[in-house]
Amino acid sequence: MLLQVFTLSLWALHLPTFYDAALLDDTIHAFEHICFVAAALVFWWVLLKPVPRQSIRYGIAIPYLFLSGVQGGLLGALLTFSTQLWYPVYGERAAVWGMTPLQDQQIAGLIMWLPVGALFTILAAVYLLLWFAALEKDMGAANGNR
């Protein structure tokens, strides 16, 4: 359920109509950032909340991180490979950097896709190692070895 909150906020807030409105209205822009922060807090709470057995938390974190990375990567890939400009408001701003608005969007998509995807992959690998260690500890405790 909490992954859906994170995913819904990411995708809804990147819809062109809402995104452009946020760039043009300070109140909507503030609301957008509040939503991003709230979604991030929910996302990280799932990964960091205390549970009776660490192996449970780590085991849940692996698919959670994988699915988060996939859906975020998909949004980034769609932005990267789109031949249509999603956010016309950026038209004037991209020229400052010597890019077309579409190039600006494609670079933004690459940033969302590759570094963020790599981060989620690394975190999933770390949680996998932690999960194995926690399972080994749980098995040792169950067998009387502490």
Side-chain angles (χ1 to χ4, degrees), residues 18-19 22 38 42 47 51 58 60 90 99 110 123 135 146:
F18 187 79
Y19 198 90
V42 167
L47 294 174
V51 293
Y58 299 144
I60 290 169
Y90 279 123
M99 293 183 277
L110 279 173
L123 285 172
L135 286 174
R146 293 185 188 236

Side-chain angles (χ1 to χ4, degrees), residues 18-32 93:
F18 187 79
Y19 198 90
D20 284 347
L23 291 174
L24 298 172
D25 183 287
D26 288 341
T27 303
I28 297 172
H29 195 200
F31 175 74
E32 177 186 55
R93 297 175 186 178

Side-chain angles (χ1 to χ4, degrees), residues 19-103:
Y19 198 90
D20 284 347
L23 291 174
L24 298 172
D25 183 287
D26 288 341
T27 303
I28 297 172
H29 195 200
F31 175 74
E32 177 186 55
H33 284 282
I34 290 168
C35 289
F36 278 135
V37 169
L41 290 173
V42 167
F43 177 84
W44 288 105
W45 178 76
V46 169
L47 294 174
L48 301 174
K49 70 179 178 178
V51 293
R53 288 182 32 214
Q54 294 290 17
S55 60
I56 294 170
R57 177 173 54 156
Y58 299 144
I60 290 169
I62 297 162
Y64 185 78
L65 286 164
F66 175 76
L67 293 171
S68 297
V70 168
Q71 64 85 26
L74 178 60
L75 179 58
L78 288 172
L79 282 166
T80 300
F81 293 114
S82 178
T83 57
Q84 300 289 321
L85 186 61
W86 288 20
Y87 311 115
V89 165
Y90 279 123
E92 298 169 11
R93 297 175 186 178
V96 172
W97 299 98
M99 293 183 277
T100 67
L102 188 58
Q103 288 170 328

Side-chain angles (χ1 to χ4, degrees), residues 120-138:
F120 278 108
T121 301
I122 291 166
L123 285 172
V126 167
Y127 270 89
L128 181 65
L129 294 173
L130 292 170
W131 185 47
F132 287 152
L135 286 174
E136 187 175 324
K137 183 179 176 184
D138 288 350

